Amino acid sequence: TARLRGRDILAPLIPPLVMAAQASLTTLGSLRPEWERVGDGVIASPFVALLGITAFFFMLNRTSAVLLRAVGFSKNETRLNELASCVGSVIHCTTVVLMTHEELRTRGWSVFGALGDGFDLSGENSPTGTAAILWCTGYMVADTIYMLIWARHETLFLLHHTATLLYMLSCLAVGRGDLSTCLCIYLGEVTNPINNSYAISNVLHSEGLISARPNFAAACALASSFVFVRILYAPIGVCWVIFVHLFLRPGGAAIPILVRLLWAALPLMVTHASFTFLLSLIGDIRRGVTTTVGKAKLEKSK
């Protein structure tokens, strides 16, 4: 049936996300020597690495679209492209969460210990920290190119990508602050598997492959994760911590003042945008309508 087909499409996405969550504390830790060799290689040719990562994610996006079109997934190009972009997003968010968590963990970070003396957000970039940032930067560049060509309506995501690229590229340029960048990436991407589930279930519902219930469940999970990560934790655990390290500790003076102001402002802007998005999402949940199809029907009924 159509509903079974929808479940079949969702099913392959679940095990990788579960495995990534279970492995987040150990996987890269056990592969630390190999990861450090990767970092050394990236440091030797950072521009080449960035080009390669960007090309990989862009080709992944376009290849996914070609394959979806070949199997006759949808005649709606917008929905087809959105699902194709989710493929790269799932791979990026699960891998970059592992990379940044490993960098943060091995350099003194814990959820409630970000102000510890051993955790220096203004320190010099490490090879592995640089590798994690380049991985994220390459994805953001590729996804921005995709949206500028095929999804210009995704204004919020374009603004998000612009903000993150400003932060990451300035960090790479000054050669310091990789831990502040990894902190922002980690807390920003750790909720993204849920966000992808929300987006994917919306596309599948629009295609008539699943009911609206999975999307509603994903919306509730996304709202809950945003409350804890973006609203309750980020203002102190990210925005305040970054401000303290950049402006109230001596090490911050090694970073140009304009860069420090940029790094202090961008997380605040993202937190504000997250709050605005959360209010809209909660409104949809309270109305019991979270899918594009459901919202369109509700609008017509008014």
Side-chain angles (χ1 to χ4, degrees):
T1 65
R3 185 167 298 180
L4 285 176
R5 285 176 57 207
R7 290 174 181 171
D8 290 341
I9 293 172
L10 282 174
L13 299 174
I14 297 173
L17 297 181
V18 173
M19 290 174 65
Q22 292 174 337
S24 62
L25 296 178
T26 59
T27 299
L28 282 183
S30 63
L31 299 174
R32 186 71 195 182
E34 288 78 5
W35 178 230
E36 289 176 350
R37 281 194 286 272
V38 170
D40 292 337
V42 165
I43 286 290
S45 303
F47 186 67
V48 173
L50 179 59
L51 285 178
I53 295 165
T54 301
F56 165 74
F57 277 113
F58 188 77
M59 291 305 297
L60 178 63
N61 181 305
R62 292 298 83 204
T63 301
S64 299
V66 169
L67 291 175
L68 287 169
R69 197 174 291 111
V71 299
F73 169 72
S74 176
K75 293 182 179 180
N76 186 301
E77 283 294 305
T78 299
R79 290 199 288 264
L80 186 146
N81 280 321
E82 184 177 354
L83 188 59
S85 72
C86 285
V87 175
S89 181
V90 168
I91 292 174
H92 166 255
C93 71
T94 51
T95 52
V96 84
V97 162
L98 293 175
M99 295 175 186
T100 51
H101 180 273
E102 171 67 11
E103 196 64 27
L104 293 166
R105 181 187 66 83
T106 57
R107 292 169 67 182
W109 179 82
S110 64
V111 174
F112 299 108
L115 288 171
D117 291 336
F119 188 67
D120 183 10
L121 291 183
S122 58
E124 293 183 0
N125 295 351
S126 72
T128 48
T130 301
I133 294 169
L134 283 171
W135 181 254
C136 189
T137 302
Y139 167 76
M140 292 295 175
V141 171
D143 205 45
T144 299
I145 294 171
Y146 150 72
M147 285 190 288
L148 289 173
I149 298 174
W150 289 285
R152 291 190 180 183
H153 61 281
E154 297 286 4
T155 307
L156 185 61
F157 283 106
L158 281 168
L159 290 173
H160 168 269
H161 285 19
T162 301
T164 56
L165 284 171
L166 280 173
Y167 203 123
M168 292 186 293
L169 290 173
S170 59
C171 171
L172 294 170
V174 301
R176 285 181 171 272
D178 64 332
L179 281 182
S180 72
T181 311
C182 285
L183 181 63
C184 292
I185 293 171
Y186 178 71
L187 270 301
E189 293 294 335
V190 75
T191 58
N192 216 18
I194 304 173
N195 194 36
N196 276 294
S197 299
Y198 177 62
I200 292 169
S201 58
N202 182 54
V203 171
L204 295 181
H205 176 68
S206 297
E207 289 294 310
L209 298 176
I210 61 173
S211 70
R213 288 192 295 272
N215 183 261
F216 186 82
C220 292
L222 184 60
S224 299
S225 68
F226 263 51
V227 167
F228 286 105
V229 177
R230 302 288 185 94
I231 307 303
L232 296 179
Y233 184 81
I236 301 298
V238 179
C239 299
W240 173 247
V241 167
I242 288 175
F243 176 80
V244 167
H245 278 262
L246 296 184
F247 293 97
L248 302 184
R249 291 193 172 183
I255 299 173
I257 184 64
L258 290 179
V259 175
R260 282 185 281 158
L261 289 171
L262 177 69
W263 291 358
L266 288 177
L268 288 172
M269 293 168 61
V270 172
T271 300
H272 178 266
S274 298
F275 183 70
T276 303
F277 171 78
L278 178 62
L279 289 179
S280 175
L281 184 61
I282 290 174
D284 292 339
I285 292 170
R286 291 181 64 183
R287 286 190 294 270
V289 179
T290 58
T291 64
T292 299
V293 172
K295 292 175 188 177
K297 289 180 179 178
L298 184 64
E299 191 64 28
K300 285 183 179 180
S301 67
K302 291 182 179 179

